[in-house]
Amino acid sequence: MVRLLSAGITCLSSIIFLVPAVIVLQYFVLKQRSFCKWFMVLLLAVYLTAVFSVTGLPTAYTLQFDLSVNLVPLADIVNSPLEYVKNTLLNIVLFMPLGFLLPVIWREYRSAKTMAIVGLAVSLVIELLQLFTFRHTDIDDLIMNTLGAVIGYAAAKKLSFQMPFQMPENNRTVLAKYEPVIVWGMVFVIGFFLKPLVENTVWEAVLSGTWWERIR
């Protein structure tokens, strides 16, 4: 119950910023009028927020450097094989939506090689950011996240990319070309600076409530 409550508070604390940010980006900056495109971009932004939450994105108020790194692949499988298999599957599943959503929304990502590079890059950023949290930075996570992105791409390809929301080439601007990067940056800024402010306020209200003791 507490985990579900925590996840809900985290997502809601981000969504109140993400929705207006996506609307401004799509309607006013990129002049995109498709509601479906807005929805898919918002879905991607919420997904990235969830990934940051699960993997332990540091915030401007909780930065701490912790050099806990494993650079030896499969090192943990000897100590705890069942736990290793569980974490491996979770890491693969975690990045499958990334490999699915990007090529569905943008044609530039309709390549297994491209998605492998993107999956590797996103996972690498997350692993490096974990140096500033209490989380463990692990090369196995990097490998499995990349594999998950490629599997997600394969699933999108199986559907023949039936939902392309690509803007016409004659309307493509420099900003539109880097739209995915802008979305990524937007999610990061909100998660790093703004979300914690709302999240902390909500938690203070929750913890001060008399019903908190009943759900712990």
Side-chain angles (χ1 to χ4, degrees):
M1 181 64 179
V2 175
R3 287 186 178 182
L4 290 176
L5 178 62
S6 178
I9 291 175
T10 298
C11 289
L12 287 176
S13 299
S14 296
I15 289 174
I16 61 174
F17 296 108
L18 286 174
V19 171
V22 168
I23 291 175
V24 169
L25 174 65
Q26 293 295 310
Y27 190 85
F28 295 101
V29 178
L30 300 179
K31 311 298 183 182
Q32 175 60 249
R33 303 296 189 256
S34 170
F35 174 78
C36 289
K37 173 69 180 299
W38 292 15
F39 176 77
M40 293 299 291
V41 172
L42 179 61
L43 183 62
L44 175 65
V46 172
Y47 159 73
L48 290 175
T49 297
V51 170
F52 279 144
S53 176
V54 169
T55 56
L57 174 71
T59 72
Y61 319 100
T62 61
L63 283 175
Q64 59 178 30
F65 186 72
D66 181 13
L67 189 59
S68 178
V69 181
N70 170 40
L71 298 177
V72 182
L74 306 178
D76 294 334
I77 195 172
V78 177
N79 299 325
S80 181
L82 291 179
E83 188 67 21
Y84 181 85
V85 171
K86 175 186 173 183
N87 290 335
T88 295
L89 292 176
L90 289 176
N91 280 319
I92 291 175
V93 171
L94 183 65
F95 266 55
M96 286 176 61
L98 179 69
F100 183 89
L101 289 172
L102 284 180
V104 165
I105 302 173
W106 295 288
R107 296 181 187 275
E108 292 90 342
Y109 296 90
R110 296 184 180 183
S111 155
K113 179 180 178 181
T114 299
M115 278 314 308
I117 294 173
V118 171
L120 178 64
V122 173
S123 182
L124 180 60
V125 169
I126 290 174
E127 293 302 314
L128 292 176
L129 287 173
Q130 286 180 343
L131 292 174
F132 299 93
T133 68
F134 61 89
R135 303 297 293 267
H136 184 66
T137 299
D138 197 322
I139 192 172
D140 286 343
D141 294 348
L142 197 65
I143 296 171
M144 298 309 164
N145 289 160
T146 304
L147 177 60
V150 174
I151 293 175
Y153 164 82
K157 186 176 181 181
K158 190 71 174 178
L159 296 175
S160 301
F161 306 115
Q162 292 299 312
M163 297 184 290
F165 303 117
Q166 180 84 347
M167 294 174 62
E169 291 300 325
N170 58 348
N171 291 332
R172 296 283 285 173
T173 63
V174 174
L175 283 176
K177 181 179 180 181
Y178 294 103
E179 183 181 358
V181 179
I182 295 173
V183 173
W184 170 274
M186 184 172 65
V187 170
F188 177 82
V189 170
I190 289 174
F192 192 74
F193 293 104
L194 302 178
K195 176 183 71 69
L197 298 177
V198 176
E199 192 173 22
N200 292 339
T201 301
V202 174
W203 269 115
E204 288 177 4
V206 170
L207 294 176
S208 63
T210 57
W211 54 278
W212 169 247
E213 293 297 327
R214 295 198 296 267
I215 68 172
R216 291 183 59 181

Short mmCIF file of all heavy atoms in Angstrom, two decimals, residues 97-133:
data_model
loop_
_atom_site.label_atom_id
_atom_site.label_comp_id
_atom_site.label_asym_id
_atom_site.label_seq_id
_atom_site.Cartn_x
_atom_site.Cartn_y
_atom_site.Cartn_z
N PRO A 97 9.22 -0.11 -22.95
CA PRO A 97 8.37 1.00 -23.42
C PRO A 97 9.15 2.07 -24.17
O PRO A 97 8.63 2.70 -25.10
CB PRO A 97 7.77 1.55 -22.13
CG PRO A 97 7.78 0.40 -21.19
CD PRO A 97 9.05 -0.33 -21.51
N LEU A 98 10.40 2.31 -23.78
CA LEU A 98 11.23 3.29 -24.48
C LEU A 98 11.45 2.87 -25.92
O LEU A 98 11.29 3.67 -26.86
CB LEU A 98 12.58 3.45 -23.78
CG LEU A 98 13.55 4.43 -24.43
CD1 LEU A 98 13.04 5.86 -24.28
CD2 LEU A 98 14.95 4.30 -23.81
N GLY A 99 11.80 1.59 -26.11
CA GLY A 99 12.03 1.07 -27.45
C GLY A 99 10.76 1.01 -28.28
O GLY A 99 10.81 1.02 -29.51
N PHE A 100 9.61 0.97 -27.61
CA PHE A 100 8.33 0.94 -28.32
C PHE A 100 7.85 2.35 -28.68
O PHE A 100 7.46 2.62 -29.82
CB PHE A 100 7.28 0.25 -27.45
CG PHE A 100 5.94 0.10 -28.12
CD1 PHE A 100 5.67 -1.01 -28.90
CD2 PHE A 100 4.97 1.09 -27.99
CE1 PHE A 100 4.44 -1.15 -29.53
CE2 PHE A 100 3.74 0.96 -28.61
CZ PHE A 100 3.47 -0.16 -29.38
N LEU A 101 7.87 3.27 -27.70
CA LEU A 101 7.28 4.59 -27.90
C LEU A 101 8.06 5.46 -28.89
O LEU A 101 7.45 6.15 -29.72
CB LEU A 101 7.16 5.30 -26.56
CG LEU A 101 6.11 4.76 -25.59
CD1 LEU A 101 6.24 5.43 -24.22
CD2 LEU A 101 4.71 4.97 -26.16
N LEU A 102 9.38 5.47 -28.80
CA LEU A 102 10.15 6.36 -29.67
C LEU A 102 9.92 6.11 -31.16
O LEU A 102 9.64 7.05 -31.91
CB LEU A 102 11.65 6.25 -29.33
CG LEU A 102 12.10 6.97 -28.05
CD1 LEU A 102 13.58 6.77 -27.83
CD2 LEU A 102 11.77 8.45 -28.11
N PRO A 103 10.03 4.86 -31.65
CA PRO A 103 9.79 4.65 -33.08
C PRO A 103 8.34 4.81 -33.49
O PRO A 103 8.05 5.11 -34.65
CB PRO A 103 10.28 3.21 -33.31
CG PRO A 103 10.16 2.54 -31.99
CD PRO A 103 10.48 3.61 -30.99
N VAL A 104 7.41 4.62 -32.55
CA VAL A 104 6.00 4.82 -32.87
C VAL A 104 5.72 6.31 -33.11
O VAL A 104 4.98 6.68 -34.02
CB VAL A 104 5.10 4.27 -31.74
CG1 VAL A 104 3.68 4.80 -31.87
CG2 VAL A 104 5.07 2.75 -31.78
N ILE A 105 6.35 7.17 -32.32
CA ILE A 105 6.11 8.61 -32.42
C ILE A 105 6.96 9.26 -33.50
O ILE A 105 6.48 10.10 -34.26
CB ILE A 105 6.36 9.30 -31.07
CG1 ILE A 105 5.48 8.68 -29.97
CG2 ILE A 105 6.07 10.80 -31.17
CD1 ILE A 105 5.79 9.19 -28.57
N TRP A 106 8.23 8.87 -33.58
CA TRP A 106 9.16 9.54 -34.50
C TRP A 106 9.83 8.54 -35.44
O TRP A 106 10.41 7.54 -34.99
CB TRP A 106 10.24 10.28 -33.72
CG TRP A 106 9.70 11.42 -32.91
CD1 TRP A 106 9.24 12.61 -33.36
CD2 TRP A 106 9.56 11.45 -31.47
NE1 TRP A 106 8.83 13.40 -32.32
CE2 TRP A 106 9.01 12.72 -31.14
CE3 TRP A 106 9.85 10.56 -30.44
CZ2 TRP A 106 8.75 13.10 -29.84
CZ3 TRP A 106 9.59 10.93 -29.14
CH2 TRP A 106 9.04 12.19 -28.85
N ARG A 107 9.78 8.83 -36.71
CA ARG A 107 10.34 7.93 -37.73
C ARG A 107 11.86 7.79 -37.62
O ARG A 107 12.42 6.77 -38.04
CB ARG A 107 9.99 8.45 -39.13
CG ARG A 107 8.50 8.45 -39.45
CD ARG A 107 8.24 8.95 -40.86
NE ARG A 107 6.81 9.11 -41.10
CZ ARG A 107 6.01 8.13 -41.50
NH1 ARG A 107 6.51 6.92 -41.68
NH2 ARG A 107 4.72 8.36 -41.68
N GLU A 108 12.52 8.81 -37.09
CA GLU A 108 13.98 8.76 -36.99
C GLU A 108 14.49 7.59 -36.15
O GLU A 108 15.66 7.22 -36.25
CB GLU A 108 14.52 10.07 -36.39
CG GLU A 108 14.35 11.29 -37.28
CD GLU A 108 13.03 11.99 -37.03
OE1 GLU A 108 12.12 11.38 -36.44
OE2 GLU A 108 12.91 13.16 -37.42
N TYR A 109 13.62 7.02 -35.34
CA TYR A 109 14.04 5.95 -34.43
C TYR A 109 13.60 4.57 -34.92
O TYR A 109 13.65 3.61 -34.16
CB TYR A 109 13.49 6.22 -33.03
CG TYR A 109 14.05 7.48 -32.44
CD1 TYR A 109 13.42 8.71 -32.63
CD2 TYR A 109 15.24 7.46 -31.72
CE1 TYR A 109 13.95 9.87 -32.10
CE2 TYR A 109 15.77 8.62 -31.19
CZ TYR A 109 15.13 9.82 -31.38
OH TYR A 109 15.66 10.98 -30.88
N ARG A 110 13.23 4.49 -36.17
CA ARG A 110 12.77 3.20 -36.70
C ARG A 110 13.91 2.39 -37.26
O ARG A 110 13.97 2.03 -38.43
CB ARG A 110 11.68 3.45 -37.75
CG ARG A 110 10.47 4.08 -37.13
CD ARG A 110 9.33 4.25 -38.09
NE ARG A 110 8.19 4.86 -37.42
CZ ARG A 110 7.03 5.09 -37.98
NH1 ARG A 110 6.83 4.75 -39.24
NH2 ARG A 110 6.06 5.66 -37.30
N SER A 111 14.85 2.10 -36.37
CA SER A 111 16.01 1.29 -36.72
C SER A 111 16.49 0.61 -35.45
O SER A 111 16.60 1.25 -34.39
CB SER A 111 17.11 2.18 -37.30
OG SER A 111 18.38 1.59 -37.13
N ALA A 112 16.77 -0.68 -35.55
CA ALA A 112 17.23 -1.42 -34.37
C ALA A 112 18.56 -0.86 -33.86
O ALA A 112 18.77 -0.75 -32.65
CB ALA A 112 17.39 -2.90 -34.73
N LYS A 113 19.45 -0.48 -34.79
CA LYS A 113 20.74 0.09 -34.40
C LYS A 113 20.54 1.40 -33.65
O LYS A 113 21.16 1.63 -32.60
CB LYS A 113 21.60 0.32 -35.63
CG LYS A 113 22.96 0.93 -35.32
CD LYS A 113 23.76 1.14 -36.60
CE LYS A 113 25.10 1.80 -36.29
NZ LYS A 113 25.90 2.03 -37.53
N THR A 114 19.66 2.25 -34.17
CA THR A 114 19.39 3.54 -33.52
C THR A 114 18.83 3.34 -32.12
O THR A 114 19.24 3.99 -31.15
CB THR A 114 18.40 4.37 -34.35
OG1 THR A 114 18.96 4.62 -35.63
CG2 THR A 114 18.09 5.69 -33.66
N MET A 115 17.87 2.42 -31.98
CA MET A 115 17.27 2.19 -30.69
C MET A 115 18.25 1.57 -29.70
O MET A 115 18.19 1.84 -28.50
CB MET A 115 16.03 1.30 -30.82
CG MET A 115 14.76 2.04 -31.22
SD MET A 115 14.49 3.58 -30.30
CE MET A 115 14.63 3.04 -28.61
N ALA A 116 19.16 0.75 -30.20
CA ALA A 116 20.19 0.18 -29.32
C ALA A 116 21.09 1.29 -28.78
O ALA A 116 21.43 1.31 -27.59
CB ALA A 116 21.02 -0.85 -30.08
N ILE A 117 21.44 2.24 -29.66
CA ILE A 117 22.29 3.36 -29.24
C ILE A 117 21.55 4.25 -28.24
O ILE A 117 22.11 4.66 -27.23
CB ILE A 117 22.73 4.19 -30.47
CG1 ILE A 117 23.66 3.35 -31.36
CG2 ILE A 117 23.42 5.48 -30.03
CD1 ILE A 117 24.01 4.02 -32.67
N VAL A 118 20.27 4.53 -28.53
CA VAL A 118 19.47 5.37 -27.64
C VAL A 118 19.29 4.68 -26.28
O VAL A 118 19.44 5.31 -25.23
CB VAL A 118 18.10 5.68 -28.26
CG1 VAL A 118 17.18 6.35 -27.24
CG2 VAL A 118 18.26 6.57 -29.49
N GLY A 119 18.95 3.39 -26.31
CA GLY A 119 18.78 2.65 -25.07
C GLY A 119 20.06 2.65 -24.23
O GLY A 119 20.01 2.85 -23.01
N LEU A 120 21.19 2.46 -24.90
CA LEU A 120 22.49 2.48 -24.22
C LEU A 120 22.76 3.86 -23.63
O LEU A 120 23.20 3.98 -22.48
CB LEU A 120 23.59 2.09 -25.20
CG LEU A 120 25.02 2.10 -24.64
CD1 LEU A 120 25.18 1.05 -23.55
CD2 LEU A 120 26.03 1.84 -25.77
N ALA A 121 22.49 4.90 -24.42
CA ALA A 121 22.76 6.27 -23.97
C ALA A 121 21.89 6.65 -22.77
O ALA A 121 22.39 7.21 -21.79
CB ALA A 121 22.53 7.25 -25.13
N VAL A 122 20.59 6.35 -22.85
CA VAL A 122 19.68 6.67 -21.75
C VAL A 122 20.08 5.91 -20.49
O VAL A 122 20.11 6.47 -19.39
CB VAL A 122 18.23 6.35 -22.14
CG1 VAL A 122 17.30 6.53 -20.94
CG2 VAL A 122 17.77 7.24 -23.28
N SER A 123 20.37 4.63 -20.64
CA SER A 123 20.77 3.83 -19.49
C SER A 123 22.08 4.33 -18.89
O SER A 123 22.24 4.37 -17.67
CB SER A 123 20.92 2.36 -19.91
OG SER A 123 21.27 1.56 -18.80
N LEU A 124 23.02 4.74 -19.76
CA LEU A 124 24.30 5.25 -19.27
C LEU A 124 24.10 6.53 -18.45
O LEU A 124 24.73 6.70 -17.40
CB LEU A 124 25.23 5.52 -20.45
CG LEU A 124 26.62 6.07 -20.11
CD1 LEU A 124 27.37 5.09 -19.22
CD2 LEU A 124 27.42 6.36 -21.38
N VAL A 125 23.23 7.40 -18.93
CA VAL A 125 22.94 8.64 -18.19
C VAL A 125 22.38 8.31 -16.82
O VAL A 125 22.77 8.89 -15.80
CB VAL A 125 21.95 9.53 -18.98
CG1 VAL A 125 21.45 10.67 -18.10
CG2 VAL A 125 22.62 10.09 -20.23
N ILE A 126 21.44 7.36 -16.79
CA ILE A 126 20.83 6.97 -15.51
C ILE A 126 21.87 6.38 -14.56
O ILE A 126 21.91 6.71 -13.37
CB ILE A 126 19.69 5.96 -15.75
CG1 ILE A 126 18.51 6.65 -16.43
CG2 ILE A 126 19.24 5.32 -14.43
CD1 ILE A 126 17.40 5.72 -16.84
N GLU A 127 22.72 5.50 -15.10
CA GLU A 127 23.74 4.88 -14.25
C GLU A 127 24.73 5.91 -13.71
O GLU A 127 25.17 5.82 -12.56
CB GLU A 127 24.50 3.80 -15.05
CG GLU A 127 23.66 2.60 -15.44
CD GLU A 127 23.05 1.89 -14.24
OE1 GLU A 127 23.77 1.65 -13.25
OE2 GLU A 127 21.85 1.58 -14.27
N LEU A 128 25.08 6.91 -14.52
CA LEU A 128 25.99 7.96 -14.07
C LEU A 128 25.31 8.84 -13.01
O LEU A 128 25.95 9.26 -12.04
CB LEU A 128 26.45 8.82 -15.25
CG LEU A 128 27.37 8.12 -16.26
CD1 LEU A 128 27.69 9.04 -17.43
CD2 LEU A 128 28.67 7.66 -15.58
N LEU A 129 24.01 9.11 -13.20
CA LEU A 129 23.28 9.90 -12.22
C LEU A 129 23.17 9.17 -10.89
O LEU A 129 23.10 9.80 -9.82
CB LEU A 129 21.88 10.23 -12.75
CG LEU A 129 21.79 11.28 -13.86
CD1 LEU A 129 20.37 11.37 -14.40
CD2 LEU A 129 22.26 12.64 -13.36
N GLN A 130 23.19 7.84 -10.94
CA GLN A 130 23.09 7.07 -9.71
C GLN A 130 24.33 7.19 -8.84
O GLN A 130 24.31 6.81 -7.67
CB GLN A 130 22.81 5.59 -10.03
CG GLN A 130 21.39 5.34 -10.50
CD GLN A 130 21.12 3.87 -10.81
OE1 GLN A 130 22.04 3.09 -10.98
NE2 GLN A 130 19.86 3.52 -10.89
N LEU A 131 25.41 7.75 -9.40
CA LEU A 131 26.59 8.03 -8.60
C LEU A 131 26.30 9.12 -7.57
O LEU A 131 27.04 9.28 -6.60
CB LEU A 131 27.75 8.49 -9.51
CG LEU A 131 28.33 7.43 -10.44
CD1 LEU A 131 29.37 8.07 -11.37
CD2 LEU A 131 28.97 6.29 -9.66
N PHE A 132 25.20 9.87 -7.79
CA PHE A 132 24.84 10.95 -6.88
C PHE A 132 23.63 10.60 -6.03
O PHE A 132 22.93 11.46 -5.51
CB PHE A 132 24.57 12.22 -7.69
CG PHE A 132 25.76 12.69 -8.47
CD1 PHE A 132 25.94 12.28 -9.78
CD2 PHE A 132 26.72 13.50 -7.88
CE1 PHE A 132 27.05 12.70 -10.50
CE2 PHE A 132 27.83 13.92 -8.59
CZ PHE A 132 28.00 13.52 -9.90
N THR A 133 23.38 9.30 -5.90
CA THR A 133 22.31 8.81 -5.04
C THR A 133 22.86 7.64 -4.24
O THR A 133 24.05 7.33 -4.29
CB THR A 133 21.10 8.31 -5.87
OG1 THR A 133 21.47 7.12 -6.59
CG2 THR A 133 20.66 9.37 -6.87
#
